[in-house]
Amino acid sequence: MEFSKSFLNHKVTKSSPSPALCCVETVPKDEQNSHVTAFNSGDGSTNSCNESSSSTTIRDVHISMRLMEDFLDLAKENTEKDLETCGILGAFLEKGTLYMTTLIIPKQESASNSCNATNEEEVFTIFNERSLYPVGWIHTHPSQSCFMSSVDLHTQYSYQAMIPEAFAIVLAPTDTSRSCGLFRITEPDGMNILKNCPERGFHPHKEPDNGNPVYEHCSNVYKNSNLSSACIRIYS
């Protein structure tokens, strides 16, 4: 499994010790908390108006908006061919806040409604080298609306079961009502449903008996314009 041919044609150079293309920008740490604003999901809503249905207390996450811009640039050729693209987001922890600064584009195979990362051990090797936490993942819906499919929810479950703050970013450029969404599975209701779901592929999930949703918009994520950023693409 690998990127579509259009991605493989990009020139890359090898960095040590991991086989990846890495571009890094740095910002002094004393500037990381300035210019912090609530995240706008693309439909006018921010985390200040989204009340979480989850009972678990989770840490705040600051995200470098440059990562999303870089991801859209890398995904452009696939998007034009109606192929999904996915990436994995890494963060470092400082004084109780997670700072999401690293985007890794893994080897993957794509279709119009799915995208599967392969050789994920390479991704986690890079995270370990840089002392980062896998706090999120990002993918496109080239021709669909901005939502979490059943396949997306199972992927999100695997991340959130490791790190409660983990969330999914969905970018849907053709959705005129909301082109970007940050989602997480509700706790404990949604997580219990996903934990006990044996199905694979696309399938419906029942709603929790108490009326809470299976997943929700994140209420703990903030965009930070002064964060450093790194974009890493693994190649074969």
Side-chain angles (χ1 to χ4, degrees):
M1 297 182 184
E2 56 187 9
F3 277 129
S4 65
K5 187 176 181 180
S6 61
F7 271 82
L8 291 174
N9 285 335
H10 286 281
K11 182 180 179 181
V12 296
T13 57
K14 188 173 183 179
S15 64
S16 179
S18 299
L21 172 67
C22 181
C23 302
V24 183
E25 297 180 357
T26 60
V27 175
K29 286 189 176 182
D30 58 1
E31 295 182 8
Q32 286 173 353
N33 288 322
S34 61
H35 298 89
V36 176
T37 57
F39 190 88
N40 189 313
S41 64
D43 61 352
S45 63
T46 64
N47 57 5
S48 62
C49 62
N50 290 331
E51 294 187 1
S52 174
S53 300
S54 297
S55 59
T56 304
T57 300
I58 56 177
R59 294 168 289 195
D60 286 344
V61 180
H62 289 202
I63 183 171
S64 168
M65 296 306 292
R66 178 66 181 271
L67 293 184
M68 296 176 65
E69 296 169 2
D70 289 343
F71 178 75
L72 282 174
D73 287 341
L74 286 168
K76 183 178 180 181
E77 292 184 43
N78 270 6
T79 300
E80 291 174 347
K81 297 179 180 180
D82 195 24
L83 296 173
E84 288 193 5
T85 306
C86 66
I88 302 173
L89 299 162
F92 66 89
L93 178 64
E94 185 173 285
K95 296 180 179 179
T97 298
L98 287 157
Y99 294 93
M100 186 173 285
T101 58
T102 303
L103 164 66
I104 297 181
I105 307 294
K107 288 178 283 189
Q108 58 194 265
E109 66 171 12
S110 302
S112 61
N113 61 358
S114 65
C115 184
N116 298 312
T118 62
N119 295 327
E120 289 185 310
E121 64 274 9
E122 295 181 63
V123 175
F124 289 99
T125 295
I126 295 173
F127 280 155
N128 288 334
E129 290 169 357
R130 291 161 172 78
S131 298
L132 298 172
Y133 296 89
V135 182
W137 62 294
I138 184 170
H139 74 291
T140 55
H141 282 184
S143 57
Q144 299 185 70
S145 58
C146 188
F147 74 106
M148 291 282 280
S149 70
S150 57
V151 173
D152 295 340
L153 289 172
H154 279 275
T155 300
Q156 173 60 21
Y157 174 82
S158 66
Y159 281 93
Q160 201 169 319
M162 290 189 297
I163 301 176
E165 291 81 7
F167 62 92
I169 301 177
V170 179
L171 299 176
T174 61
D175 188 336
T176 57
S177 62
R178 182 177 63 221
S179 60
C180 174
L182 276 67
F183 305 110
R184 66 187 307 274
I185 301 171
T186 56
E187 296 188 51
D189 304 310
M191 289 294 283
N192 286 337
I193 288 175
L194 269 297
K195 179 181 180 180
N196 296 311
C197 178
E199 301 289 336
R200 291 296 179 264
F202 294 102
H203 58 277
H205 286 114
K206 69 174 185 178
E207 293 294 321
D209 294 335
N210 60 11
N212 285 335
V214 174
Y215 71 96
E216 62 187 355
H217 292 282
C218 293
S219 60
N220 65 314
V221 181
Y222 300 84
K223 53 186 177 182
N224 188 326
S225 61
N226 281 343
L227 275 180
S228 61
S229 63
C231 179
I232 302 171
R233 183 174 50 174
I234 298 174
Y235 64 94
S236 56

